[in-house]
Each structure stands twice: as C-alpha cells, then as structure tokens.
Amino acid sequence: MDSSARAISKTMKKERMDESIMLTNNSSIVSKRSVERLYYPNEPQFFRHFVKKPQRRSPLINRGYWLRMKAIDHVVHDFLDDSAGIKKVVINLGCGYDPLPFQCLSKYAQACHNVVFIDVDYGKLMAKKCEVILRTPELHELLSNISRAADQGVLLRSDHYLAVGCDLRHLRMLDDILAQELDMASSMILCTAEVSITYMDVGAADAVIGWASQFPDVRFCLLEQFLPAGSSHPFAKTMIRHFEKLQTPLRSIHNYRSLADQQDRFLTRGWPVPVVQSLWELWSSPSFLGPGERSALDNIEPFDEWEEFALFASHYVLLLATKSRGAVGDNQEVIHRDVEQLHHDPWAPEGSPSTAQKSNTSVDSRFHRHLSSQDCRVRTSDQGAKRIPQPESYLHYHENLNRQGCRRFGAELPIGMRAVGHHGGLGLQARLNTTDIYSSHDTGMDILNLPPNTVRPRMCHTITRLNGSDCLLVGGRTSPESPLADCWLREGHDWQRIEDIPVPRYRHCAFQLRTMDGDSAVLVFGGKGPAGKVLDDWLLWEKQKGWKQLPISGEQPGSSFGASMIGIRDVEGLLLGGMTQDGIVRSGCWYWTIKGPDLDTVSCQRLASNFDGRTCSDRKLGRFGASLVSTSKGMSMIGGIGGEGALTQDQEILSINLKCPEIRFSKINLNLVGPRPLSIGCTVLNHCGNAYILGGGAVCFSFGAHHNEGIWVLEDSGTIMESPLRLVVKNITSTTSMQANSTQSTAGGGIRPQYGPAVSAVPKFHLESADHFHKILSAGRPVILKGLEIGPCTQTWTSEYLKEQVGVDRQVVVHSAITQFMNFQAKNFTYDKMGFGEFVDMAAKGKQLYLRSLALDQPSERPATLAQDFPAIAEDFGLPSTLAFVAENAHSSPLRISGPVSIWLHYDVMANVLCQIRGAKRLLLYPPTDITHLQIPPGASSSPINVFEAKDSTDSWLSNVHPHEALLEPGDVLFIPSLWPHAVSPVSGLSVAVNVFFRHLRSGYAPGKDIYGNRDLQAYERGRRDIDKIVRAFNELPCEAARFYLKRLAEELSEKAMSIG
C-alpha cells in the first residue's frame, strides 16, 4: 500500500470513529429525555426537541442519568450564582444535543444576564443541532439577536449563545474562534466535559485539559468513567466491552483508573488540586442531596436496583478543578483530597490528619459547597499499625454447563445431607418459583419436597432452617412495590401455608433461634414493606404461638433493609449494615440478644469497628446486600456494596472476629482461581465447612448484564476439591420430575404464565389441499400444519452441515443479546458481525445470539430470500404444492438461527409461514383485537412487554388479552396471520427455521421499500398523517376545548372501527 492509500485509509478510519462517537450522543439524549419526561414533568421539556420517538428507560437507567444530570446542573448553577460581577462563559465541550444552555436560560434567567453559553462539537453534529434550534420556537425564542454565522467554526450566534463546530483535537482553531468572539482573559469560565473527551485519544484529551488551564479565571468540570475496583471487576469488564462493541472505546479509563490518577492528570497540566468524587459518594453526600430529596425519587417510579445503581455511580468520577484569578501558591484553592492520601490505603483509622482540614477554605467555598471536604476526604494510613498476618485462602471456580443456575436474589433451601437447593430469585428473564439443586454426588440424593407451585415466584425472600429437615419461607417480593406477606412451613416432606407475617416485606433478615425447650423459632428484622417504607421491627415466629413483635432495649439499630444477620449462639447474634429509607448504606454493627424465658425482648448493643488492629470508620465497613457466613474457619462477610460503592477485590471477603464491645474485620490473603465473581444478589452458604457462592450477577446499567455462570468455593487449600457442590438438577418444582443430572425444564425455561389469562392451544391440522389452505387463510387464525414435506433439511441441516455448506468464514450480522429476552424498543442487544461458523458454535453452546438473515447483496434495499442468499442449502428446503399460494406470492424467506434467546412481541403486516427445521420453539400469539392492551406505540410494530415473564396478577394488561400458544417441533409449519402480535422463545437446543412472508392482499401495501414485511399498510400511514393535520387544526383553540373535541372525534373513530364488518 503506497503512502496516499495509507493516508486515505487512515482518514476513512478516523471518519468512521468520529461517526461512532457521534452516535453515542443519540443513546444518551434518549435516556435524558426519558428522565425529563418522568422526573421533571412540570418543567420546560427541552430534550424532546432532539428526540423524535421518546422511550421510557428502565428505572435503573433513569436514576443513573438523573444523577448525572443533577451533578452537572449543580456545578453549573453554583457557577452562575457566583457574584463575581464579571462576564461568565460556559463552554460545553463535546456537547452533543444536550440543551444545557436553554435549560439554564429558562430556569436560571436572573443569573444568566451576563453569561454566554458555548456549545462545541463536531461540525456535522452542530449543524443538525442548529437546524433544530432555528425551527423550534421554544429554543430560539430564548435567544436574543440570533443569527446564522458565516464565520468558520461559528454556526449560530446570539447575545447569550454560540454554536461552534470544531473537532476538539483542533485546539488552535477553537482558541482562535473564542478569541474573536469574546474577551476570554477578563471572563470567568466554566468548561464542562460530560463523558465526551474520554472517547478521544488520551494525548488529545489531556491537551484539552491543559488548554483550558491557560485561562486566568477558569473551572473545569469533568464527568467520565473510571475503575474504582479495578479492570477485573465484572461491571468494569462489561462496561468496557460495551463501548468497544460500539467502536467507541473508553480511552482515558486505562490511563486514569482511579480518583488519584484523575487528580494527578489535572495537577500535571497546570491546575491546582481539584475536588474529585465518585457519583456514588456524591449521592450519599448530605450537602448535595437531602434525605427528603433522595426519598422522593421512589415516589416517581418504584425502585429496587440499589446494588446496580451503586455499581454505576461508583464507576463515574465527578472532578471539579478551579483556577482563580490572582491566586498564589499551592494553597490557592480548597484542597479536598491530598494527592498523597489518594495513593494510600483507604481502610484508614479515624482521626488521622488531613490536608483538607488544613487547607485554605476561603476561596470559592460557595462554589464547592456540595462537594465538601468532609464528603470527599480520604484519610491517610496509620503507618505504625501492624497488620495481622492471615493464612492463605483460595476461591475456586466451578462452571455450570450452558449458563444454567443463573439466578440472583434467591434463597438457600435445605435439601439433605449432601445437597442444597437454590430457590426462587430472578432468573435470566423472570422471577422464579423453581429450585436448582446442587450436590456433591450424582446419585442417592435425599431430595425433600420442594416448594409447591402455589408458592408464587419471588425474590429477596428468606428460607430459614428449623429442626431436622423443617424450614420456614418468609416474604419476598414480586415487583418493588409489591412486597409479600405469605409464609410457608415445610415439616418433613409436606409444605403448608401458615399465618402471614404481620407486615409484608422483602430484603429482611431472618435467623433460627433455639428456645429454652429446644424448639426452633425464627427471628426476623427490618426489610422494606408496603409503600416502600423501610421497617425497624423485630418479629419472632414460633410454631405454637405464631408471630409476635419484640420490644427493643439498648441501642436501637433503626430502620434498615438489605442488612446482614448471623447467629453467634442460640439467642445471640450480629446485625450489620443495610440501607436507610433515603438510599444511604448504613454504617454500624450491633450485637443482639433475645432475652426472657419466653423470648420476649431484644437487646441491642452497638459495637466499635476495628480493621486489622486499627480503629476504622464505620462507613468503610458499611455494607448493603452482603452475606454473613460461619464456616469451620470462622465468620466471614462476603459481597454486597459498600459505603463507597463497588468493592475492590480485597474488600469483597473479610473475616470477622467478635471481641465485645468491638468487632474486628480483617482482609484475607485470597488467591482467586478462576474468574472474579460479581458478588451482588448471590447466595452464600456453608456446606461441609466451606463457604459457597451460588448465583448472583447484575444488570450493568445500559452496558449489558453479567450473570455468574458457576459456583465459587472458599477453601484453605490450593488444590481443587474432588467433589465440590455442583449443579445437578435445574429449574424444578415439587411437581416436576426430580432425576439427578437432569437438565430438563418446562417449555421456555420454566417461565410459562401462571396467573394470567387462559392460554388457548393453536390447533394442528394435516393440510389436505391448496383449497384447504385458502380456507385457513380466509379464517385468519393461526394453525400448526403437521406432516408437510418441506425437503431433506429436517434431517441434513445439522450444525456441521450448515457450516460446511454456508462456509465458516462467511460474515453474518447477528443480534447479540445481554439477557434471554430481547427487547427491540429498549435495544438491549447489539448487532455484531462474525463468521458463520463462530456464530453457529457459540449459539449451540448456549450463547444468546440470533440470526435473522439479510440479503447477501444490497441488504438495505431488498428483502432476504433463501435461494439467493444461501444457494448452497436452498435446494434442501421447499414448500409443498398445498402451499403454492405462499410460494407464488412470496415476499421474502429469511433464515432464522438462534440460541437460547427470546424474540420480542411484534406483529407482521404480511402473513407468513414459520417452518421449524431443527430444535423446538414456543410462540405466544395474540389476536389483532388485543393490540390496545399490548403497549405497542403508534407507528411501531413491537412491544416492550416480555409475555413469557408475565405471571404476576398485578400486570393489569393480562386480564384483557387472549394468548394462543404454539409449540413447534422439527417439520412443523406455523401459519401466522397478518397483524397477529407474537413472541418467540426457544425450548431446546439450537433453533433453525425458514420464515416465508407472502402478500395475501390484492392491494393496500405501502409503496416503496419493505425489507422485513412489517411496514404498515398505506391507509394507516396516510391516516397517521391526517391525524397530525386534525390536531394542528385545533391549535388555536383553548386547551380544554381542543381536548373536548379531539376526544369526541376519537370516540367517533372508535365507533366506526367497531362497525366495520
């Protein structure tokens, strides 16, 4: 390749990278629009002008973006409120479509009279942004003296706003533009970079930071990702992999992994010591958010993704650097973190000297008030403290087959001497009422009766062992706003529902007590109850007496959920951590004792915390969602999240030694043999003297999900045990056959709806003639056609045959899902290009991959056809003469191959036949009359509902729909009528099918391209345009009158729809 060709290739690569970076703006702006609609309904809606089709994001993503937006808003608002009396300039570096200037001009109008906002981003992106501003009155009417600019770089100019199209790698150009427009040297400047410069080459990003420090009176607010728990943390790996898949790698994160690194980054580029915090620390700061403000968020939408929220927030840094005019020396700014402190051990004693306490706090303190030194301070280590030497421990990993055993927030279920169960929890798709059984032996297990099917699916519940084989299941939840009160007792082999716990709850603590008579009782503390109230009660259950509430004496722990409890002796134990009503990880450890001959009082004593022989801040040891386990080696605290968010590897497992009135924590000398677990939502238990970690995982914000796909064993020896617990039976209930080594489950992975409407089976027919099919087509109802001759494909299309004929190196575009349920609206999958052989192998091994073939040539212009796109295998498949109408009117015939992944609920405008060739598949279909209950937005053809998860009677849409179920085996052909919404889930093995779409109407299809056969009919598309015209006709009327007449028209239209036919 000559030099000119190399230069062209380099330019093209740069342009592709820039395009990918600009696309990250689209996803971010949609998420912020979701927050705007939900969290700020009564404020001006500026994001809506940049988002054509709003999407409601998940509660986790909404809250994460709300925190990001809140953090930036506080920094900018404080800057605007500064009473310096000189001109202020706010430069949004890599702004995307963010409407920050317009939000400020609307909300903080009084503070903006002497302020200029400058948006800077790629010229192509900024040109589109300016077009939106100019055609939107709500935006351009906030600007005075607005004009398009002809100058290079400046695209739009007004008294308070400049739109600049400039690549941030071209700092000289940006410098020249700003110098021509403003007197920067005499202005007070704030530069913001919210997840923007991290996509740049590190050198170029650092140059931006250095460039900003040239101004005499400047602040720099940086918000971007970092690695608080190392690059091996599963959340970090998922996040990094996500951005690499998007071809927008996070470049800065590898150079600046910690808060100390970020601080050094600014110090070496001309800045005084900056304020630096994670968003999780900021969330917990009382000077940033009050308890009432945090609690009020739960009223907007139910929320229980606390661990996942903490993981997200602790992986984002908010840095604020300030360089003030006339400051001299190293102490010119408020120093909140000393560089040296950040490099020291964070597990530091209270009372150590802090540079933050000594520094000058007179400069710009109001600007920093929400990032106070108390919130940001990390104390220095006690150099004189001696660490207690710890023996080596090993955390061994044992992988389950085919992603089995993936559940989180389940509960240990006693099974027998050599086996344990993992019951309930949240599976890959839905809450479960099934049990996975782990055993150290394949045969001869003494399997006791499992919870019956009448125990509804749940998570965050407890199961407490009683005498012998007895146990008690208490509470849990379905959705976050639906705590459960039911309690189930197993005596011997029999389960029965007993008296409900007085207040429904989940994330509570439960522990077995021993009464004076030697009987078992169950102690329950706290949890979260109805209306999201966090509970502080202590309850005792005895078989003969039922539930009673215990009065408390001593130091009361207060209300808490997600705390950890363990027993020391029959009626004594420990209570640690948890979370408060307003979402703060609780510090503190309490020693509790149940007193009185009838166990009628609980006495609590708060313990002092000690870490490795040193007094330590309770906040450092605060835990939410952790597990306490007692083994032959003593007590350990495993997993959860800490007061500072994500735990580093050496913080995830701590040994505990109780020496009243003190509790001592120690790091263990841990050797990890295998991948690092994500110790969130896992179940920790003692089996044969060793601690086992089962299940667990998390949704890693919008980056994907990570599920622990095996078990971990904490041992003393570096030699792997010969027969550790391993998964031998999965997803069973008391009514399921329980044979060891079985991996059978119910269709669709045990997630068939149990509380929804009756499901009608799709009828099965042997097709007699072409006329018979015409009758089926006219009836417009789904039918399974049995015994059709569709060619030798049902025998020949094995994985090896397909790879040999198609070619292992042929590139195909596949859906790569992050959960078992793909959601087209949420886009919880990516489009990945890979070799056909690699795809087939990975899907066959259980990876969540799905191929819907596209046209080999011009895939964006023509539909897929098997004969043209896969000629080597096309002759193996054919439609019989009884389906001649389908063949003669065929629109497309895509090949579908999938692993264990479900396809979203959607409808097709064209009728089609789904020919199942390999594997088994389950479909749920709904008649067109159900469309108004299936949450399919106008103009769209897909729904966000996971119909395979819909078990809960609280899902109101369930009572209004009429599902039809089809179970397809190899050789079956399913006729799917036009406009019947349907969802697809694999039942077993690799699924291979050919889907033939055909035109069944003589006219009415929309003109132009229809690649997938689901473009709405022409009359509907025209009707939607007419609706817009009708609505605009009422624009001049008062709102009340417009609504009145539009509703009347809607009723009239509905009546006419009902009268058709």
Side-chain angles (χ1 to χ4, degrees):
M1 183 183 293
D2 59 26
S3 58
S4 61
R6 282 195 297 269
I8 293 172
S9 175
K10 187 175 180 180
T11 300
M12 292 176 64
K13 183 178 179 181
K14 174 185 172 295
E15 289 175 352
R16 286 196 301 269
M17 182 182 68
D18 291 348
E19 287 288 341
S20 297
I21 293 172
M22 283 187 275
L23 286 175
T24 64
N25 165 70
N26 296 344
S27 175
S28 174
I29 213 75
V30 170
S31 297
K32 290 183 175 182
R33 170 61 178 147
S34 178
V35 173
E36 179 182 61
R37 293 179 71 203
L38 196 62
Y39 284 67
Y40 303 104
N42 298 320
E43 294 187 11
Q45 306 280 290
F46 291 109
F47 285 98
R48 71 184 178 95
H49 305 300
F50 299 95
V51 178
K52 292 182 179 178
K53 292 184 178 180
Q55 298 177 27
R56 179 162 178 168
R57 298 299 203 198
S58 69
L60 171 63
I61 294 175
N62 282 336
R63 186 162 296 202
Y65 270 98
W66 176 88
L67 183 58
R68 272 179 54 170
M69 294 162 66
K70 182 75 170 177
I72 295 295
D73 178 74
H74 263 257
V75 172
V76 175
H77 188 200
D78 279 359
F79 174 75
L80 297 176
D81 271 358
D82 189 286
S83 56
I86 59 176
K87 193 172 194 66
K88 299 192 186 102
V89 178
V90 179
I91 308 174
N92 195 349
L93 301 167
C95 61
Y97 292 150
D98 199 316
L100 175 69
F102 305 96
Q103 291 172 314
C104 292
L105 289 167
S106 174
K107 262 199 311 189
Y108 311 128
Q110 292 297 320
C112 293
H113 69 279
N114 196 25
V115 178
V116 175
F117 294 92
I118 304 177
D119 278 348
V120 183
D121 213 319
Y122 291 107
K124 184 177 180 181
L125 186 151
M126 288 304 300
K128 293 180 180 179
K129 186 172 187 177
C130 290
E131 290 296 328
V132 175
I133 293 170
L134 290 171
R135 70 169 180 257
T136 307
E138 293 90 339
L139 297 175
H140 66 69
E141 287 177 1
L142 288 169
L143 307 176
S144 56
N145 298 320
I146 188 170
S147 63
R148 284 182 178 272
D151 306 340
Q152 183 182 8
V154 178
L155 305 179
L156 202 66
R157 181 185 287 111
S158 78
D159 293 338
H160 294 285
Y161 180 71
L162 281 177
V164 176
C166 179
D167 188 328
L168 289 177
R169 289 168 293 200
H170 303 153
L171 291 174
R172 181 170 296 177
M173 174 182 172
L174 180 59
D175 221 18
D176 291 343
I177 292 170
L178 297 180
Q180 292 173 12
E181 298 293 329
L182 296 162
D183 183 2
M184 301 295 285
S186 61
S187 300
M188 187 174 173
I189 301 165
L190 170 65
C191 297
T192 65
E194 182 188 356
V195 193
S196 57
I197 64 172
T198 189
Y199 299 123
M200 301 170 65
D201 290 332
V202 178
D206 290 345
V208 172
I209 294 170
W211 165 82
S213 70
Q214 69 176 311
F215 301 113
D217 195 348
V218 62
R219 292 111 178 95
F220 199 113
C221 175
L222 175 73
L223 193 155
E224 67 182 32
Q225 300 89 340
F226 78 115
L227 301 173
S231 59
S232 68
H233 192 285
F235 181 96
K237 292 173 71 173
T238 303
M239 176 176 69
I240 291 169
R241 186 167 56 245
H242 166 79
F243 285 101
E244 288 175 346
K245 278 188 176 182
L246 296 178
Q247 300 181 358
T248 54
L250 303 175
R251 301 184 185 278
S252 296
I253 202 170
H254 300 290
N255 286 56
Y256 306 108
R257 294 170 169 248
S258 68
L259 297 178
D261 293 337
Q262 286 284 7
Q263 195 170 49
D264 287 344
R265 181 187 195 182
F266 276 73
L267 284 169
T268 56
R269 286 165 183 85
W271 293 90
V273 181
V275 179
V276 58
Q277 281 186 293
S278 73
L279 288 187
W280 181 245
E281 291 176 295
L282 196 65
W283 163 267
S284 306
S285 167
S287 55
F288 175 69
L289 288 174
E293 193 171 5
R294 281 189 294 264
S295 299
L297 297 179
D298 290 345
N299 299 325
I300 297 174
E301 58 181 340
F303 188 79
D304 191 37
E305 292 83 2
W306 287 105
E307 292 94 341
E308 294 157 326
F309 178 52
L311 289 177
F312 156 78
S314 58
H315 277 81
Y316 278 74
V317 58
L318 181 70
L319 180 146
L320 186 59
T322 304
K323 185 179 177 185
S324 297
R325 193 185 311 275
V328 180
D330 291 338
N331 289 329
Q332 63 182 327
E333 295 297 330
V334 181
I335 300 176
H336 296 273
R337 289 190 186 269
D338 187 85
V339 183
E340 201 172 302
Q341 293 172 349
L342 285 168
H343 289 288
H344 282 158
D345 182 4
W347 296 82
E350 291 285 1
S352 301
S354 168
T355 307
Q357 294 172 308
K358 302 174 185 177
S359 65
N360 174 17
T361 59
S362 62
V363 180
D364 210 12
S365 60
R366 184 176 180 279
F367 182 59
H368 295 78
R369 68 175 185 266
H370 63 284
L371 300 173
S372 69
S373 58
Q374 183 63 38
D375 301 326
C376 294
R377 188 171 65 248
V378 172
R379 303 182 187 276
T380 55
S381 298
D382 184 349
Q383 301 296 328
K386 295 182 178 180
R387 294 185 179 271
I388 302 171
Q390 296 292 326
E392 284 193 338
S393 295
Y394 294 83
L395 191 63
H396 288 289
Y397 174 67
H398 303 271
E399 186 175 8
N400 297 330
L401 295 176
N402 298 328
R403 300 199 72 193
Q404 299 172 9
C406 292
R407 63 178 73 207
R408 46 202 174 101
F409 300 106
E412 175 191 358
L413 176 68
I415 295 292
M417 292 297 294
R418 293 180 294 184
V420 297
H422 194 196
H423 174 265
L426 184 63
L428 293 175
Q429 282 190 310
R431 294 180 290 273
L432 306 173
N433 67 344
T434 58
T435 302
D436 294 332
I437 295 180
Y438 295 80
S439 176
S440 55
H441 293 73
D442 292 339
T443 61
M445 290 185 298
D446 179 21
I447 297 181
L448 301 173
N449 269 2
L450 306 178
N453 283 332
T454 47
V455 178
R456 65 191 304 185
R458 67 192 63 217
M459 58 191 289
C460 304
H461 56 300
T462 58
I463 300 177
T464 308
R465 184 189 296 269
L466 305 175
N467 288 337
S469 62
D470 298 350
C471 60
L472 181 68
L473 185 155
V474 176
R477 72 167 176 86
T478 54
S479 58
E481 71 271 33
S482 301
L484 301 173
D486 56 330
C487 301
W488 297 80
L489 175 65
R490 185 182 71 190
E491 291 185 288
H493 289 237
D494 298 321
W495 286 86
Q496 61 175 320
R497 182 168 179 174
I498 61 169
E499 174 193 3
D500 288 357
I501 194 168
V503 179
R505 67 193 63 216
Y506 61 94
R507 288 192 184 263
H508 51 281
C509 300
F511 179 72
Q512 176 199 11
L513 300 179
R514 190 75 61 185
T515 69
M516 298 289 288
D517 299 328
D519 295 329
S520 290
V522 175
L523 178 69
V524 169
F525 166 74
K528 182 168 276 193
K533 181 181 180 182
V534 178
L535 307 172
D536 64 355
D537 52 352
W538 296 75
L539 301 171
L540 185 73
W541 177 86
E542 296 178 82
K543 182 179 178 182
Q544 303 302 324
K545 301 177 181 178
W547 291 101
K548 67 177 180 181
Q549 183 168 344
L550 303 181
I552 309 170
S553 64
E555 300 172 278
Q556 298 188 19
S559 58
S560 181
F561 70 105
S564 309
M565 182 187 283
I566 194 170
I568 306 299
R569 283 174 284 276
D570 287 345
V571 292
E572 301 174 27
L574 291 175
L575 177 71
L576 284 80
M579 184 170 280
T580 62
Q581 182 73 59
D582 60 319
I584 301 297
V585 175
R586 299 195 65 204
S587 59
C589 310
W590 283 266
Y591 186 81
W592 54 262
T593 306
I594 309 300
K595 296 183 175 181
D598 294 326
L599 303 179
D600 39 29
T601 303
V602 58
S603 174
C604 295
Q605 175 189 1
R606 182 158 183 165
L607 304 174
S609 300
N610 180 294
F611 184 79
D612 273 353
R614 301 164 296 161
T615 301
C616 182
S617 164
D618 281 342
R619 185 167 180 263
K620 304 291 184 186
L621 296 170
R623 289 289 186 277
F624 172 73
S627 299
L628 299 177
V629 62
S630 182
T631 66
S632 58
K633 276 77 73 177
M635 282 191 294
S636 299
M637 180 169 66
I638 298 178
I641 58 167
E644 296 180 344
L647 301 175
T648 58
Q649 187 170 321
D650 61 354
Q651 298 169 5
E652 288 182 326
I653 302 179
L654 300 177
S655 67
I656 299 175
N657 188 15
L658 181 63
K659 298 287 184 181
C660 281
E662 186 177 68
I663 183 169
R664 299 179 179 177
F665 296 84
S666 302
K667 294 179 184 177
I668 65 173
N669 188 3
L670 183 67
N671 296 283
L672 183 61
V673 184
R676 182 174 171 183
L678 182 50
S679 51
I680 299 297
C682 52
T683 297
V684 179
L685 55 92
N686 172 15
H687 182 74
C688 299
N690 291 303
Y692 283 76
I693 301 174
L694 309 181
V699 174
C700 301
F701 200 60
S702 58
F703 313 133
H706 179 93
H707 298 277
N708 292 335
E709 298 182 4
I711 63 175
W712 284 261
V713 191
L714 185 61
E715 307 170 69
D716 290 335
S717 171
T719 304
I720 299 177
M721 297 170 61
E722 293 182 2
S723 57
L725 283 179
R726 58 183 177 274
L727 180 63
V728 294
V729 187
K730 71 157 191 171
N731 275 346
I732 63 173
T733 65
S734 60
T735 58
T736 308
S737 174
M738 295 178 288
Q739 297 179 353
N741 285 327
S742 167
T743 58
Q744 299 300 313
S745 65
T746 57
I751 52 177
R752 180 170 176 153
Q754 296 179 358
Y755 295 92
V759 179
S760 302
V762 172
K764 301 176 182 179
F765 290 95
H766 283 80
L767 198 59
E768 300 171 358
S769 64
D771 287 338
H772 187 192
F773 179 72
H774 275 286
K775 292 178 181 179
I776 291 173
L777 183 61
S778 298
R781 300 184 69 81
V783 169
I784 297 175
L785 304 174
K786 303 287 288 186
L788 290 179
E789 179 54 51
I790 59 175
C793 54
T794 53
Q795 284 77 41
T796 61
W797 282 13
T798 64
S799 296
E800 293 305 316
Y801 177 87
L802 290 173
K803 289 191 292 182
E804 179 183 346
Q805 296 298 317
V806 175
V808 295
D809 295 326
R810 174 170 167 179
Q811 296 294 296
V812 291
V813 177
V814 303
H815 299 67
S816 178
I818 60 175
T819 68
Q820 190 174 339
F821 167 64
M822 288 198 297
N823 185 328
F824 187 80
Q825 290 193 17
K827 290 295 192 297
N828 63 344
F829 56 85
T830 57
Y831 295 101
D832 293 346
K833 198 171 187 179
M834 62 176 64
F836 182 81
E838 179 188 8
F839 157 70
V840 171
D841 289 341
M842 292 176 66
K845 291 178 182 178
K847 294 299 182 182
Q848 293 165 164
L849 300 174
Y850 165 61
L851 167 67
R852 194 275 189 202
S853 68
L854 303 173
L856 185 60
D857 297 316
Q858 296 180 306
S860 62
E861 297 296 323
R862 69 172 186 85
T865 55
L866 187 71
Q868 295 182 39
D869 304 328
F870 296 91
I873 61 172
E875 292 185 2
D876 297 336
F877 170 83
L879 295 177
S881 59
T882 49
L883 292 177
F885 183 86
V886 176
E888 293 166 2
N889 295 277
H891 163 271
S892 57
S893 51
L895 175 68
R896 299 183 188 268
I897 304 178
S898 67
V901 63
S902 298
I903 312 303
W904 54 88
L905 181 66
H906 68 285
Y907 68 81
D908 300 309
V909 176
M910 292 188 187
N912 60 93
V913 289
L914 179 63
C915 307
Q916 189 66 23
I917 295 170
R918 303 286 293 185
K921 189 175 290 180
R922 176 179 178 230
L923 290 88
L924 286 176
L925 304 95
Y926 299 83
T929 51
D930 285 350
I931 188 69
T932 56
H933 305 294
L934 295 176
Q935 299 179 25
I936 297 178
S941 60
S942 64
S943 166
I945 297 174
N946 180 357
V947 294
F948 298 110
E949 182 183 5
K951 307 179 187 182
D952 195 336
S953 59
T954 61
D955 290 331
S956 58
W957 68 273
L958 278 173
S959 61
N960 298 306
V961 295
H962 308 83
H964 293 60
E965 183 184 53
L967 295 175
L968 300 185
E969 299 173 345
D972 287 346
V973 175
L974 173 65
F975 166 59
I976 304 176
S978 170
L979 306 181
W980 273 67
H982 54 279
V984 188
S985 181
V987 174
S988 64
L990 185 73
S991 175
V992 182
V994 174
N995 204 177
V996 183
F997 291 79
F998 61 99
R999 296 179 177 87
H1000 65 290
L1001 299 176
R1002 294 181 180 179
S1003 62
Y1005 295 108
K1009 289 190 299 184
D1010 186 5
I1011 305 300
Y1012 300 103
N1014 64 351
R1015 181 174 173 182
D1016 283 308
L1017 296 177
Q1018 185 176 25
Y1020 176 71
E1021 292 186 349
R1022 287 177 175 174
R1024 293 196 68 225
R1025 291 194 292 268
D1026 290 339
I1027 287 175
D1028 288 336
K1029 293 178 183 177
I1030 292 170
V1031 173
R1032 286 197 297 271
F1034 288 88
N1035 282 348
E1036 302 299 321
L1037 294 179
C1039 292
E1040 189 172 350
R1043 292 193 189 101
F1044 173 85
Y1045 284 111
L1046 286 171
K1047 286 181 178 180
R1048 294 208 65 193
L1049 286 173
E1051 290 171 0
E1052 184 177 352
L1053 188 62
S1054 178
E1055 290 173 2
K1056 291 184 180 298
M1058 296 301 294
S1059 67
I1060 293 176

